[in-house]
């Protein structure tokens, strides 16, 4: 079973490395000290299992999962119980609350092994949504382009457009493609700031200049930069509650 250890603290990585050494069925393919290294290693090596620290500088564990663009088996490592431990349990995703014993490590590994052998994986988006504290929304959107990662503040997003299995995020004159469903991204954004005005569009209401009647029972949203986006009847009803 090919594994990757991701933790910004060398001591934490060494403990996991020591415990793994007792399991000849495991091989350590890489060790990463930050989220950017983790995204690159996971993408290139495609491990069977990741030991992933939740709290790390620059990119946290959940943001790493968001950027790898595929479902994967994870054992979380955290020193903080407030990271929705119960949500991990509900989704059959195990976690190691530091400091943890060898017995607790073995227990987590056994659960992960059973899931891998049954070819069961938990969708990343379900995990990210369930572990996000209630009332907390995305403050930034992360987009990976090859080895580069773009960090887009939510406040600087103009609108988001669905494009097959991707979304096109328009911000400050640039377009960033991210492999994600529009409906999934919608659930992570603040509904008081971002409104699904059409099956293909989410708009930042701060960028909205006006609504215009396009045809009978049909409207367009005109943004401050002149961009025009089609508005569905449901989208219009949502906008009316905010404007």
């Amino acid at each position: 079973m090919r594994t990757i250890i991701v933790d910004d603290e060398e001591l934490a990585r060494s403990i996991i490395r020591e415990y793994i050494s007792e399991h000849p069925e495991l091989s350590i393919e890489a060790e990463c000290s930050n989220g950017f290294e983790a995204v690159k290693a996971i993408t290139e090596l495609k491990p069977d299992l990741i030991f992933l620290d939740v709290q790390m500088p620059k990119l946290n564990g959940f943001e790493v999962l968001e950027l790898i663009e595929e479902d994967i088996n994870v054992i979380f490592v955290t020193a903080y119980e407030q990271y929705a431990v119960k949500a991990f349990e509900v989704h059959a995703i195990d976690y190691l609350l530091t400091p943890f014993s060898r017995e607790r490590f073995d227990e987590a590994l056994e659960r992960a092994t059973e899931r891998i052998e049954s070819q069961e994986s938990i969708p990343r988006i379900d995990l990210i949504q369930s572990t996000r504290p209630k009332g907390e929304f995305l403050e930034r959107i992360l987009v990976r382009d090859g080895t580069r990662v773009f960090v887009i503040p939510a406040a600087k997003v103009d609108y988001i457009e669905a494009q097959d299995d991707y979304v096109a995020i328009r911000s400050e004159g640039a377009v960033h493609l991210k492999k994600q469903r529009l409906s999934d991204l919608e659930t992570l954004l603040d509904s008081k700031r971002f409104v699904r005005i059409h099956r293909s569009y989410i708009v930042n209401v701060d960028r909205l200049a006006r609504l215009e009647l396009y045809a009978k029972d049909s409207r367009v949203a005109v943004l401050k930069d002149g961009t025009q986006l089609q508005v569905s009847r449901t989208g219009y009803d949502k906008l009316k509650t905010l404007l």
Side-chain angles (χ1 to χ4, degrees):
M1 191 187 306
R2 302 165 63 249
T3 68
I4 288 180
I5 302 171
V6 183
D7 200 302
D8 62 316
E9 296 185 6
E10 166 57 29
L11 177 59
R13 295 198 305 274
S14 68
I15 292 172
I16 295 175
R17 189 165 59 241
E18 178 186 343
Y19 290 170
I20 285 178
S21 67
E22 301 295 321
H23 293 270
E25 73 276 14
L26 298 181
S27 66
I28 300 173
E29 300 298 309
E31 293 187 26
C32 306
S33 60
N34 61 65
F36 290 104
E37 289 180 3
V39 171
K40 184 174 186 296
I42 295 167
T43 302
E44 293 178 352
L45 299 175
K46 301 187 184 304
D48 301 304
L49 177 65
I50 306 170
F51 292 90
L52 181 60
D53 186 14
V54 172
Q55 270 204 322
M56 294 183 291
K58 298 183 180 178
L59 291 180
N60 64 39
F62 302 125
E63 290 172 329
V64 168
L65 290 182
E66 186 179 341
L67 284 169
I68 60 176
E69 299 182 346
E70 59 188 53
D71 299 333
I72 199 160
N73 295 294
V74 179
I75 294 177
F76 285 99
V77 181
T78 178
Y80 303 94
E81 288 193 73
Q82 71 263 31
Y83 279 101
V85 166
K86 289 188 176 180
F88 298 157
E89 294 174 334
V90 167
H91 286 282
I93 296 291
D94 213 337
Y95 66 95
L96 294 170
L97 187 62
T98 58
F100 51 87
S101 66
R102 186 183 302 273
E103 290 73 22
R104 182 66 187 90
F105 177 88
D106 291 345
E107 180 185 332
L109 182 59
E110 182 178 354
R111 292 181 63 182
T113 301
E114 290 175 355
R115 187 169 69 245
I116 291 170
E117 290 178 348
S118 65
Q119 298 185 337
E120 175 190 358
S121 61
I122 304 300
R124 292 171 309 111
I125 193 66
D126 288 352
L127 178 61
I128 293 168
Q129 289 172 347
S130 67
T131 53
R132 186 173 299 279
K134 188 176 181 180
E136 182 178 307
F137 302 101
L138 282 184
E139 290 299 324
R140 60 184 189 173
I141 300 174
L142 305 175
V143 180
R144 181 168 61 86
D145 182 6
T147 58
R148 296 188 299 171
V149 174
F150 294 93
V151 180
I152 308 167
K156 294 187 178 181
V157 172
D158 298 325
Y159 68 96
I160 306 166
E161 180 181 0
Q163 293 188 0
D164 297 324
D165 293 332
Y166 290 78
V167 291
I169 302 162
R170 317 274 173 158
S171 173
E172 298 185 310
V175 180
H176 304 275
L177 282 178
K178 181 179 178 69
K179 190 173 183 180
Q180 189 171 22
R181 293 182 301 180
L182 192 67
S183 58
D184 290 338
L185 187 54
E186 179 186 11
T187 63
L188 300 174
L189 293 168
D190 185 354
S191 59
K192 294 181 180 179
R193 176 188 291 177
F194 293 92
V195 177
R196 182 82 172 263
I197 61 171
H198 185 271
R199 64 182 180 183
S200 298
Y201 302 112
I202 293 174
V203 69
N204 183 346
V205 293
D206 291 338
R207 298 294 189 272
L208 186 62
R210 62 187 183 276
L211 292 173
E212 292 184 352
L213 191 64
Y214 180 72
K216 184 179 179 181
D217 295 329
S218 179
R219 291 172 173 80
V220 294
V222 182
L223 306 191
K224 292 176 180 179
D225 64 359
T227 299
Q228 296 187 7
L229 304 175
Q230 188 176 352
V231 180
S232 67
R233 184 175 300 178
T234 302
Y236 178 62
D237 291 339
K238 291 179 181 178
L239 283 174
K240 284 195 300 183
T241 65
L242 297 176
L243 301 178

